[in-house]
Every structure is written in C-alpha cells, then in structure tokens.
Amino acid sequence: MKRLVAAFALVLLAAAGIMPATWAADKTIATQKVKDVVVTLKSESGQWTKGKNAFVLEFTSAKDTQPLDAGTVTLNTSMTMTGMAPMIAGATLNPDKTPGRYLGTIEFLDTGTRQVTVTWDGPAGKGSTKFYAPVR
Ligand SMILES: [Cu+2]
C-alpha cells in the first residue's frame, strides 16, 4: 500500500511538472543484443522524426537485465541515397544519473531509414553494433 501511495505521489508530481521529463514512459525504437550486452534505443514517442529528436540509449546485461556502465558511448547514423553521398548525422550523448543510461539528441534533415552505429568503451567492455531505425 505504501508503495502504491508513493507511485501515486510520483504521478502527481509528474503531472504538476515538478519531475523531470525523463520520468515519462519511454518506448523502444530498436534493441540489439551483442554477446552479453543489450543496447536499447528509446524515446518518448517510440520513433525518430525529421528535425530534432531527444532519445535515451540504455545498456543492460543480457544475463540478468541489470544496467551496464558502458563508459564512453557514441551513436552515429547514416542514410544511403541514390546518386548522393550518404547523409551522416551524429548524436550528442550524455550519461544520465542512472548507470548504463545515456541521454541523447540528434537532428535529421529528412525522413528515411538510417543505419545506426553505436560504440561503447568502458567497464562493460568495448563493443559496437549496427542496426536500422526509421525516421518518419
Ligand atoms: Cu537523406
């Protein structure tokens, strides 16, 4: 019951705009497993759109789903377009207070499927992964 009251209080605080926006429920845009590391790209809307986007990148252990401190993280995107040089966009990423969670911003000049490359280097080891994510 105490827990329920606490949860309800958080909802009220969020509604009053006191809690930061990161408390909003994030929806998964894409998720990738690389050995023991699960990389999940999330945002409030669950999709990237043309223009500026805020998003969350989370690293968790595939074994026990606990957060993994990924250290230095990069996220870059590329879109191949016929007869043109690939369109490249990189994200600005900052570690959140929670380990393994990074807050990012990225800007897309147009819609279309991006190849996303994420790299990390830190306590969770060194790795990288590529996946596709649409920009709508
Ligand atoms: Cu393009």
Side-chain angles (χ1 to χ4, degrees), residues 79 81 87 110-111 114:
M79 179 168 69
M81 298 176 81
M87 292 179 73
D110 65 2
T111 59
R114 260 60 177 189

PDB file of all heavy atoms in Angstrom, residues 79 81 87 110-111 114, ligand 1:
ATOM      1  N   MET A  79      22.517   7.480 -43.900  1.00  0.00           N
ATOM      2  CA  MET A  79      21.462   7.062 -44.835  1.00  0.00           C
ATOM      3  C   MET A  79      22.031   7.111 -46.239  1.00  0.00           C
ATOM      4  O   MET A  79      22.530   8.143 -46.682  1.00  0.00           O
ATOM      5  CB  MET A  79      20.241   7.977 -44.737  1.00  0.00           C
ATOM      6  CG  MET A  79      19.158   7.579 -45.721  1.00  0.00           C
ATOM      7  SD  MET A  79      17.579   8.395 -45.415  1.00  0.00           S
ATOM      8  CE  MET A  79      17.968  10.051 -45.833  1.00  0.00           C
ATOM      9  N   MET A  81      21.621   7.342 -50.128  1.00  0.00           N
ATOM     10  CA  MET A  81      20.631   7.877 -51.055  1.00  0.00           C
ATOM     11  C   MET A  81      21.204   7.751 -52.451  1.00  0.00           C
ATOM     12  O   MET A  81      22.372   8.073 -52.676  1.00  0.00           O
ATOM     13  CB  MET A  81      20.321   9.331 -50.723  1.00  0.00           C
ATOM     14  CG  MET A  81      19.716   9.471 -49.331  1.00  0.00           C
ATOM     15  SD  MET A  81      19.451  11.181 -48.859  1.00  0.00           S
ATOM     16  CE  MET A  81      17.920  11.537 -49.699  1.00  0.00           C
ATOM     17  N   MET A  87      24.019  10.509 -46.157  1.00  0.00           N
ATOM     18  CA  MET A  87      23.724  11.576 -45.196  1.00  0.00           C
ATOM     19  C   MET A  87      24.130  11.083 -43.814  1.00  0.00           C
ATOM     20  O   MET A  87      23.658  10.045 -43.357  1.00  0.00           O
ATOM     21  CB  MET A  87      22.229  11.890 -45.188  1.00  0.00           C
ATOM     22  CG  MET A  87      21.751  12.520 -46.477  1.00  0.00           C
ATOM     23  SD  MET A  87      19.978  12.827 -46.404  1.00  0.00           S
ATOM     24  CE  MET A  87      19.940  14.212 -45.290  1.00  0.00           C
ATOM     25  N   ASP A 110      15.956  14.919 -43.059  1.00  0.00           N
ATOM     26  CA  ASP A 110      14.840  14.360 -43.820  1.00  0.00           C
ATOM     27  C   ASP A 110      14.434  13.005 -43.241  1.00  0.00           C
ATOM     28  O   ASP A 110      15.059  12.514 -42.297  1.00  0.00           O
ATOM     29  CB  ASP A 110      15.170  14.264 -45.319  1.00  0.00           C
ATOM     30  CG  ASP A 110      16.304  13.293 -45.601  1.00  0.00           C
ATOM     31  OD1 ASP A 110      16.810  12.662 -44.650  1.00  0.00           O
ATOM     32  OD2 ASP A 110      16.687  13.161 -46.768  1.00  0.00           O
ATOM     33  N   THR A 111      13.381  12.438 -43.816  1.00  0.00           N
ATOM     34  CA  THR A 111      12.901  11.140 -43.345  1.00  0.00           C
ATOM     35  C   THR A 111      13.657  10.026 -44.066  1.00  0.00           C
ATOM     36  O   THR A 111      14.433  10.288 -44.981  1.00  0.00           O
ATOM     37  CB  THR A 111      11.393  10.998 -43.626  1.00  0.00           C
ATOM     38  OG1 THR A 111      11.192  11.136 -45.030  1.00  0.00           O
ATOM     39  CG2 THR A 111      10.594  12.060 -42.894  1.00  0.00           C
ATOM     40  N   ARG A 114      17.619   4.966 -41.367  1.00  0.00           N
ATOM     41  CA  ARG A 114      19.018   5.212 -41.014  1.00  0.00           C
ATOM     42  C   ARG A 114      19.697   3.929 -40.585  1.00  0.00           C
ATOM     43  O   ARG A 114      19.098   3.119 -39.867  1.00  0.00           O
ATOM     44  CB  ARG A 114      19.096   6.181 -39.831  1.00  0.00           C
ATOM     45  CG  ARG A 114      19.395   7.611 -40.214  1.00  0.00           C
ATOM     46  CD  ARG A 114      18.367   8.167 -41.125  1.00  0.00           C
ATOM     47  NE  ARG A 114      18.625   9.582 -41.441  1.00  0.00           N
ATOM     48  CZ  ARG A 114      17.785  10.349 -42.082  1.00  0.00           C
ATOM     49  NH1 ARG A 114      16.634   9.875 -42.516  1.00  0.00           N
ATOM     50  NH2 ARG A 114      18.077  11.597 -42.339  1.00  0.00           N
TER      51      ARG A 114
HETATM   52 CU    CU B   1      18.503  11.561 -46.723  1.00  0.00          CU
END
